């Protein structure tokens, strides 16, 4: 299918949802049409040379459309609410696809705009922000959770709740791990460790603004809304009460970096390599240094890897290996738990300490 056909299909699906819900709210229906007109105009103009910029301007429309549908439906049901364009509140730099929040400006905007709201219910978008020029930015993977944390921080909320398709924070991804257990309580530090190593139920950036204001985070299930979830707070939880945890990151790439002059690696080489990855906000999931090369395990994101390769090209040779790779982290582990969850996987890189075991594996 060509671009216009896909666009018409997308438009048709959204309009069938508004028809199916019987939405009559004229303001909302007009805004939905307006967004589709803007999107169609974008498709008929020459694409921007910055692909990350283009990505953010287009994918952001999904959040705008879905929140307009929800807001309009609620209004039709007699639930007064304000639909808020989050770009008016969350201000970022120009780092498209992973905008960095300007906290002072965001605080000021949220305080001014939310206080003006005439209702107790505001419907807004997650995942999005705006540059100083008012171009749309996205905040990275699972950025909607992060958005809620930004609002909670700026409004000094008593509690922040996020709703998922799981009963709370589990000790593994139930799609890939058998007999997962729900964790009733975690401290901010313990939850931060899990997100740092790639746990997907909470965005890695979500916890920091909450921890700064000691705002508890509750992870609940929208499938079982009356059931208690996981509470994350400043309260320290005894590690003995926690089950072993496995965190898996799929779609990984192995990178071997060698000096072009074939001399041994030194500290300045490592600093330059880490700096290049840092500029692209590409986390190194596992690293092993040897005399003449460094092996890295990173997320398979070409749009980040390509600029890194370009920056390091003068001095280093980067060799990429793609395949059915995973980065796996075990916290609070025992060896039976590790053995069970590494069945059918070949270890390529590993790093071990008393309470942390990290491996880069090939799934056979």
């Amino acid at each position: 299918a060509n671009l216009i056909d896909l666009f018409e299909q997308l438009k048709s699906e959204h309009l069938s949802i508004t028809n199916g819900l019987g939405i009559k709210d004229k303001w909302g229906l007009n805004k939905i049409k307006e967004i589709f007109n803007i999107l169609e105009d974008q498709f008929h103009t020459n694409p921007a040379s910055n692909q990350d910029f283009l990505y953010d301007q287009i994918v952001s429309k999904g959040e705008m459309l879905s929140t307009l549908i929800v807001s309009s439906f609620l209004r039709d049901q007699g639930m007064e609410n304000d639909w808020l364009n989050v770009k008016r509140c969350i201000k970022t730099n120009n780092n498209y696809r992973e905008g960095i929040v300007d906290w002072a400006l965001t605080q000021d905007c949220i305080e001014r705009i939310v206080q003006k709201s005439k209702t107790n219910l505001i419907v807004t978008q997650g995942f999005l922000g705006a540059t100083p020029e008012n171009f749309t930015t996205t905040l990275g993977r699972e950025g909607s959770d992060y958005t809620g944390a930004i609002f909670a921080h700026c409004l000094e909320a008593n509690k922040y709740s996020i709703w998922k398709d799981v009963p709370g924070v589990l000790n593994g991804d139930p799609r890939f791990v058998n007999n997962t257990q729900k964790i009733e309580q975690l401290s901010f530090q313990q939850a931060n460790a899990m997100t740092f190593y790639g746990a997907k139920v909470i965005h890695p950036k979500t916890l920091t603004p909450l921890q700064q204001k000691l705002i508890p985070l509750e992870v609940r299930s929208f499938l079982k809304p009356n059931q208690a979830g996981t509470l994350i707070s400043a309260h320290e939880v005894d590690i003995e009460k926690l089950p072993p945890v496995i965190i898996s990151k799929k779609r990984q790439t192995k990178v071997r970096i060698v000096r072009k002059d074939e001399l041994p690696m030194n500290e300045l080489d490592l600093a330059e390599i880490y700096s290049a990855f840092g500029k692209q906000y590409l986390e190194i999931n596992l690293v092993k240094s040897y005399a003449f090369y460094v092996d890295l395990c990173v997320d398979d994101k070409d749009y980040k890897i390509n600029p890194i390769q370009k920056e390091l090209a003068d001095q280093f040779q980067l060799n990429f290996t793609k395949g059915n790779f995973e980065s796996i982290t075990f916290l609070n582990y025992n060896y039976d738990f590790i053995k069970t969850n590494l069945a059918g996987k070949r270890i390529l890189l590993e790093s071990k300490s008393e309470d942390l075991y990290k491996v880069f594996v090939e799934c056979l």
Side-chain angles (χ1 to χ4, degrees):
N2 63 35
L3 181 61
I4 300 303
D5 289 341
L6 290 170
F7 168 75
E8 290 298 335
Q9 182 184 334
L10 182 76
K11 185 176 178 180
S12 172
E13 286 174 0
H14 279 78
L15 294 179
S16 72
I17 291 170
T18 61
N19 292 334
L21 291 172
I23 290 176
K24 297 180 175 62
D25 181 62
K26 286 185 178 178
W27 181 86
L29 291 171
N30 286 335
K31 286 289 287 183
I32 289 168
K33 287 177 185 173
E34 183 184 312
I35 286 171
F36 277 116
N37 289 338
I38 291 168
L39 194 54
E40 189 169 17
D41 287 344
Q42 284 181 312
F43 294 149
H44 288 293
T45 57
N46 291 328
S49 57
N50 184 335
Q51 294 298 302
D52 293 342
F53 167 83
L54 191 60
Y55 174 93
D56 281 2
Q57 308 320 300
I58 292 173
V59 300
S60 57
K61 300 298 189 289
E63 283 282 324
M64 294 292 178
L65 291 165
S66 61
T67 53
L68 280 166
I69 290 171
V70 169
S71 177
S72 297
F73 178 76
L74 292 177
R75 205 172 285 118
D76 283 344
Q77 302 307 306
M79 294 180 68
E80 280 305 308
N81 67 89
D82 281 345
W83 181 85
L84 171 64
N85 186 334
V86 79
K87 289 172 62 178
R88 295 174 60 203
C89 291
I90 296 182
K91 305 299 181 178
T92 75
N93 66 357
N94 297 73
N95 190 53
Y96 296 103
R97 291 185 80 150
E98 205 154 344
I100 306 301
V101 174
D102 180 332
W103 281 96
L105 190 53
T106 297
Q107 176 85 48
D108 180 57
C109 290
I110 287 177
E111 284 180 356
R112 282 190 297 103
I113 290 166
V114 173
Q115 284 174 356
K116 286 182 182 175
S117 176
K118 296 181 177 63
T119 73
N120 292 322
L121 180 60
I122 294 175
V123 177
T124 192
Q125 305 77 41
F127 182 54
L128 309 178
T131 68
E133 302 83 14
N134 204 38
F135 291 120
T136 306
T137 51
T138 58
L139 304 178
R141 183 182 64 79
E142 295 298 324
S144 292
D145 292 350
Y146 182 37
T147 301
I150 294 168
F151 274 94
H153 174 98
C154 294
L155 296 170
E156 300 198 0
N158 295 322
K159 186 172 70 174
Y160 172 42
S161 299
I162 55 177
W163 298 85
K164 302 286 180 178
D165 60 354
V166 288
V169 177
L170 305 178
N171 70 326
D173 189 327
R175 294 173 298 172
F176 311 112
V177 180
N178 294 324
N179 305 316
T180 54
Q181 300 176 51
K182 184 179 83 173
I183 301 171
E184 301 291 338
Q185 289 190 41
L186 285 167
S187 69
F188 282 122
Q189 191 169 5
Q190 289 161 336
N192 262 318
M194 291 176 66
T195 61
F196 176 81
Y197 295 117
K200 291 183 173 61
V201 73
I202 309 167
H203 189 279
K205 296 176 185 173
T206 298
L207 289 166
T208 300
L210 301 175
Q211 187 173 0
Q212 287 169 341
K213 296 279 183 80
L214 300 181
I215 300 167
L217 170 64
E218 196 176 38
V219 183
R220 306 269 302 267
S221 170
F222 57 73
L223 300 173
K224 297 179 180 177
N226 296 322
Q227 207 174 79
T230 299
L231 185 67
I232 300 167
S233 69
H235 178 71
E236 196 62 41
V237 178
D238 187 349
I239 197 168
E240 301 283 328
K241 295 180 180 177
L242 297 177
V245 173
I246 176 173
I247 300 158
S248 172
K249 295 179 82 173
K250 299 184 184 299
R251 293 190 61 205
Q252 298 291 291
T253 295
K254 183 183 176 189
V255 189
R256 175 163 291 183
I257 305 177
V258 299
R259 286 178 60 118
K260 285 187 171 179
D261 58 14
E262 299 183 351
L263 290 172
M265 286 282 182
N266 60 49
E267 290 80 3
L268 292 176
D269 293 332
L270 295 176
E272 192 173 338
I273 290 165
Y274 271 95
S275 174
F277 279 82
K279 286 175 188 173
Q280 296 300 322
Y281 300 94
L282 183 60
E283 181 185 344
I284 297 171
N285 296 318
L286 195 58
V287 59
K288 204 81 171 179
S289 297
Y290 303 90
F292 290 94
Y293 60 89
V294 176
D295 279 343
L296 306 173
C297 157
V298 297
D299 294 347
D300 186 9
K301 294 180 177 178
D302 285 342
Y303 70 92
K304 294 190 176 205
I305 289 172
N306 291 339
I308 292 169
Q309 188 172 19
K310 188 175 179 181
E311 180 171 344
L312 296 175
D314 288 346
Q315 190 174 344
F316 301 97
Q317 175 70 42
L318 278 68
N319 301 309
F320 298 90
T321 307
K322 301 198 178 195
N324 192 10
F325 297 136
E326 262 182 84
S327 165
I328 302 175
T329 303
F330 295 94
L331 298 167
N332 194 31
Y333 63 85
N334 62 61
Y335 287 100
D336 286 341
F337 186 71
I338 288 173
K339 186 178 178 182
T340 299
N341 286 288
L342 288 185
K345 303 179 197 297
R346 182 165 68 95
I347 297 173
L348 302 175
L349 295 172
E350 65 179 338
S351 173
K352 187 185 291 185
S353 66
E354 186 179 345
D355 57 356
L356 174 72
Y357 180 47
K358 293 194 74 170
V359 286
F360 176 55
V361 300
E362 181 179 18
C363 303
L364 304 174

